[in-house]
Amino acid sequence: MANLLKSDIYRFGKSKLLYAIVTFTGVIALMLTMLIRQDVRLGISVFGNLTAFASAGDIIRLGAEYHKGLGILAAILISVFIGQEYQWGTWQNKWITNNSRMGIYLSKTVISSAASISLFLIFEIVTLAFSGQVRAIMENGYFATVVGGAFVYGALGASICLLSFAAKNNIASTVICICYIIFSEAFASVIGYVSNFSENSSKFIGWIIRHSVYGMSIVLSSASVPKDFTMSIIINSLVITLLATVVGLMIFRKSEL
């Protein structure tokens, strides 16, 4: 496992796509923050939804809403990294050298979650660093948003890893993962509407949506996040990460390499 992780980290670190996406993430956060500091009020339509920016806090909350842009970058980065293994046919080499499938999958999951969290933190740190209001922002409860968001993005990375492995194709994995990010809001709305035929199903589906990665991101993007709810988000994110890892490992064990 340690050797696999070291090898994957080395290959991931050599990726030009990684540095391009990291740079793009930082530049976007910097541009938005600088515009806000110049008292420029922004209104950006993201997939049909208008997102207004009046302060650095709004930018921080935007980062928590993965389906409005940042999640797409994470999906591209992770799916391409995993899809290259199918493109190059390197799974067989790792299997032949007596590496277990569990080790192979867990290594990819660790990197996927770490990459997703890192993109989120880069966006938030750049925003905080250039906002000129670090203390004020943290005192207004945004620290809970950043901490909770890091765990949500960890669960998102594990979910993208699962989808990438299930696709078994470098192009298909990227398309599926991007669609998962873009249409997560629409999917949640549809199943919420369909479940209204009975009170019990509506409550059950509503509970699932609230505890999904999408549901947690919506809570974190709200004006105030209670400290006790932040702990709930952390625990829920860890559960989703564990479930995604277990399901992905079961699929990968039965897949032909």
Side-chain angles (χ1 to χ4, degrees):
M1 173 66 183
N3 290 333
L4 278 171
L5 187 58
K6 185 185 298 184
S7 174
D8 283 339
I9 291 174
Y10 176 79
R11 186 168 71 84
F12 194 59
K14 299 286 286 185
S15 171
K16 294 180 180 179
L17 180 63
L18 168 64
Y19 297 105
I21 288 180
V22 167
T23 301
F24 182 75
T25 300
V27 169
I28 291 298
L30 178 61
M31 289 178 59
L32 291 175
T33 306
M34 290 295 101
L35 288 173
I36 291 298
R37 291 195 65 174
Q38 297 299 318
D39 292 327
V40 177
R41 297 297 180 262
L42 300 174
I44 301 176
S45 179
V46 183
F47 303 122
N49 295 325
L50 181 63
T51 303
F53 302 97
S55 66
D58 294 328
I59 302 175
I60 291 175
R61 287 196 294 267
L62 173 68
E65 295 183 270
Y66 70 87
H67 57 287
K68 290 189 174 182
L70 198 55
I72 295 177
L73 298 179
I76 294 173
L77 180 60
I78 295 169
S79 61
V80 169
F81 172 67
I82 294 176
Q84 285 175 341
E85 297 276 12
Y86 289 103
Q87 180 183 4
W88 298 336
T90 53
W91 294 122
Q92 295 88 343
N93 297 334
K94 294 181 178 180
W95 179 249
I96 292 172
T97 54
N98 295 323
N99 289 305
S100 67
R101 293 201 182 201
M102 178 180 290
I104 294 173
Y105 188 85
L106 290 180
S107 176
K108 291 295 189 296
T109 301
V110 170
I111 290 179
S112 298
S113 292
S116 183
I117 293 171
S118 297
L119 287 180
F120 170 73
L121 291 180
I122 288 169
F123 186 89
E124 302 296 286
I125 290 171
V126 171
T127 300
L128 286 171
F130 291 93
S131 66
Q133 306 171 7
V134 177
R135 178 175 296 180
I137 290 174
M138 287 304 182
E139 289 177 352
N140 288 332
Y142 288 103
F143 181 74
T145 301
V146 175
V147 173
F151 281 89
V152 169
Y153 269 81
L156 178 66
S159 301
I160 294 173
C161 180
L162 164 61
L163 293 175
S164 297
F165 271 94
K168 299 182 183 179
N169 181 278
N170 59 316
I171 297 177
S173 63
T174 302
V175 173
I176 291 172
C177 290
I178 291 177
C179 289
Y180 166 71
I181 300 297
I182 293 177
F183 298 113
S184 57
E185 183 177 14
F187 180 71
S189 298
V190 169
I191 63 173
Y193 177 78
V194 172
S195 66
N196 287 330
F197 67 88
S198 73
E199 184 178 354
N200 290 333
S201 64
S202 179
K203 289 182 179 179
F204 177 69
I205 296 299
W207 183 88
I208 292 177
I209 293 175
R210 289 193 301 272
H211 289 78
S212 66
V213 177
Y214 168 76
M216 291 188 293
S217 74
I218 294 300
V219 171
L220 287 171
S221 65
S222 61
S224 178
V225 182
K227 292 183 179 180
D228 56 341
F229 203 85
T230 302
M231 182 55 64
S232 175
I233 287 176
I234 291 173
I235 295 173
N236 195 58
S237 297
L238 292 174
V239 171
I240 292 176
T241 301
L242 178 61
L243 289 175
T245 302
V246 171
V247 173
L249 184 58
M250 291 173 61
I251 294 174
F252 186 55
R253 278 182 167 178
K254 295 180 180 180
S255 300
E256 293 184 6
L257 296 182

